[in-house]
Amino acid sequence: KRGAGKIEEAEPWNKLLLPASSLPTDPALYVGPFPFYRRPSELGCFSLDAQRQYHGDARALRYYCPPPTNGQSPNFDLRDGYPDRYRPRDEEVQERLDHLLCWVLEHRGRLEGGPGWLAGAIVTWRGHLTKLLTTPYERQEGWQLAASRFQGTLYLSEVETPAARVQRLTRPPVLQELMYMGYKFEQYMCADKPGGSTDPSGEVNTNVAFCSVLRSRLGNHPLLFSGEVDCIDPQAPTTQPPTCYVELKTSKEMHSPGQRKSFYRRKLLKWWAQSFLPGVPNVVAGFRNPEGFVCSLKTFRTMEMFEYVRNDRDGWNPSVCMNFCAAFLSFAQDTVVQDDPRLVYLFSWEPGSPVTVSEHRDAPHAFLPTWYVEAMTQ
Ligand code: A3P
Ligand code: MG
Ligand code: MG
């Protein structure tokens, strides 16, 4: 008994000096009030062209152009052009944070928040934060996030898990076509110019992307993150980004209450997390039939998505998502103490387990490029 007491007494001392070695993800642990989340503001943007080249402007931004609402339903053939008019991005290329770092480097001298703001911030992709938000409810796919501290800033960059790599390399043809169909829907819904018309006859090139760079803060964690934006609505009540942006999504047509319930529990959670983070107010869904045609559209307001699961015992809770994300960011801040761009902490998570961490130096996990470190050190 005395021995056990000794261990218990030693524990708080241990906790004060050493960062936690793992972080649980059970939703019940994160129930509570919604944490502070600063209204996201757009700091800037950049574009990637058909060759995946970076441009510090909005050239790849497209304009929301829904079909006329004259009583007729749409009839978008999402399989049209596959595979002959499909130019998929090379997924073997691991871009990590590179394009975002390019933007940061270009704007570091004139960031709002004043000098020193960046040193206290977390820099990452919106998509990485989306995965953190949905973690307490995710039962299928794990993740790995690499973290380095450099000039005070904490950088987070996803690492493809071995399982995800196998899945990608053995992706069945139906799933490859389904991926194409998501992008094809964008082509039916967007014009290249404001007031222009759509042109579904062209190629679908997934190298092209428009990215918004946003500032926010979760709890006491200032955030600088970037996310791909599908289009801007020139008719939106306000033309101020990100409020004028629209996220486009496709989903299977639903015919039973069970299908609807599962859509609200799984898909709406992902749609909410992805659009809530950058403050994109509307998600326009195209529902496809088994033949791959979109025959109906529905706009979901990001801020109302939770209502579909509010009274569902097996639904999701935005507070849990945000509280877990805040807890993870604190865990990462406490773990990555040394300021060293060559030092990497790899956070790993598999469903049913806590987040664990391991320490690495240089290749293959170091992700802050020499060109960035050297230019920032000037
Ligand atoms: P849908 O989600 O409408 O099917 P986004 O919706 O984020 O703008 O992404 C556009 C499309 O890219 C998606 O359209 C989907 O086809 C594809 N995509 C995005 N994330 C994916 C993922 N994790 N796995 C497979 N395809 C993905
Ligand atoms: Mg997109
Ligand atoms: Mg989309």
Side-chain angles (χ1 to χ4, degrees):
K1 187 154 188 218
R2 266 179 78 163
K6 245 183 185 168
I7 290 167
E8 273 170 24
E9 276 166 34
E11 225 177 15
W13 172 86
N14 195 28
K15 274 181 187 151
L16 284 173
L17 288 180
L18 296 171
S21 58
S22 73
L23 181 73
T25 65
D26 184 350
L29 298 173
Y30 299 97
V31 172
F34 196 86
F36 175 82
Y37 188 65
R38 179 193 193 268
R39 180 154 57 89
S41 55
E42 184 175 76
L43 295 175
C45 66
F46 59 87
S47 294
L48 304 175
D49 67 19
Q51 287 76 43
R52 204 67 179 170
Q53 293 305 300
Y54 175 97
H55 302 274
D57 56 45
R59 69 183 67 187
L61 177 58
R62 290 184 294 178
Y63 297 81
Y64 182 59
C65 182
T69 48
N70 51 8
Q72 286 185 44
S73 351
N75 196 36
F76 301 148
D77 181 1
L78 299 185
R79 295 156 98 165
D80 178 53
Y82 185 81
D84 36 298
R85 282 181 285 131
Y86 186 26
R87 292 278 168 277
R89 178 177 75 82
D90 180 358
E91 291 175 276
E92 266 302 297
V93 181
Q94 305 286 327
E95 300 174 325
R96 310 206 261 201
L97 297 184
D98 290 10
H99 298 306
L100 174 55
L101 298 180
C102 209
W103 185 93
V104 171
L105 193 55
E106 220 169 284
H107 295 84
R108 68 188 188 283
R110 43 201 164 92
L111 282 179
E112 61 171 58
W117 182 84
L118 184 60
I122 295 173
V123 171
T124 191
W125 286 112
R126 179 269 310 271
H128 301 358
L129 296 172
T130 304
K131 287 198 177 177
L132 289 172
L133 260 62
T134 59
T135 294
Y137 301 104
E138 178 63 46
R139 286 152 184 261
Q140 310 225 326
E141 284 168 17
W143 48 254
Q144 291 191 313
L145 277 174
S148 289
R149 193 179 296 284
F150 172 53
Q151 295 182 344
T153 309
L154 185 69
Y155 295 85
L156 298 176
S157 177
E158 192 178 13
V159 174
E160 187 179 50
T161 63
R165 178 175 165 79
V166 169
Q167 292 248 319
R168 171 168 64 78
L169 295 175
T170 61
R171 197 181 282 146
V174 279
L175 280 189
Q176 299 193 35
E177 187 172 31
L178 215 51
M179 267 182 82
Y180 170 81
M181 292 163 70
Y183 294 111
K184 184 68 188 177
F185 177 59
E186 297 175 1
Q187 200 185 49
Y188 281 111
M189 296 291 289
C190 298
D192 286 342
K193 296 186 179 66
S197 52
T198 61
D199 178 14
S201 73
E203 285 192 335
V204 170
N205 186 325
T206 57
N207 288 289
V208 180
F210 168 78
C211 294
S212 173
V213 181
L214 300 128
R215 171 189 174 186
S216 182
R217 179 160 56 88
L218 173 56
N220 58 350
H221 303 290
L223 302 173
L224 187 158
F225 59 92
S226 175
E228 205 218 329
V229 167
D230 289 338
C231 56
I232 181 172
D233 181 0
Q235 316 248 52
T238 160
T239 58
Q240 190 174 71
T243 315
C244 51
Y245 291 150
V246 179
E247 171 61 40
L248 302 172
K249 288 289 182 192
T250 61
S251 198
K252 249 198 264 191
E253 266 181 6
M254 298 175 287
H255 297 287
S256 71
Q259 288 173 334
R260 273 179 241 282
K261 187 139 262 183
S262 148
F263 167 80
Y264 301 144
R265 287 177 179 171
R266 300 157 189 272
K267 252 193 175 171
L268 265 197
L269 164 61
K270 299 208 168 164
W271 292 6
W272 171 79
Q274 184 189 28
S275 289
F276 176 76
L277 282 164
V280 172
N282 293 299
V283 178
V284 175
F287 292 99
R288 56 179 148 73
N289 65 22
E291 291 72 47
F293 284 71
V294 164
C295 302
S296 67
L297 301 171
K298 180 175 162 75
T299 300
F300 291 89
R301 297 191 60 78
T302 305
M303 296 311 277
E304 293 167 8
M305 289 178 181
F306 172 54
E307 301 307 325
Y308 292 93
V309 292
R310 190 187 282 276
N311 299 315
D312 182 348
R313 301 181 139 276
D314 295 316
W316 46 275
N317 182 331
S319 301
V320 167
C321 299
M322 298 301 279
N323 286 325
F324 170 74
C325 185
F328 173 80
L329 297 179
S330 297
F331 178 47
Q333 294 280 22
D334 294 344
T335 304
V336 188
V337 176
Q338 267 205 68
D339 202 293
D340 181 345
R342 296 167 55 184
L343 182 62
V344 177
Y345 288 85
L346 188 62
F347 295 90
S348 302
W349 179 71
E350 285 300 330
S353 301
V355 180
T356 58
V357 57
S358 55
E359 203 184 304
H360 306 263
R361 181 168 284 281
D362 296 325
H365 288 307
F367 60 89
L368 291 171
T370 314
W371 58 260
Y372 182 72
V373 171
E374 286 181 351
M376 292 288 280
T377 308
Q378 293 312 308

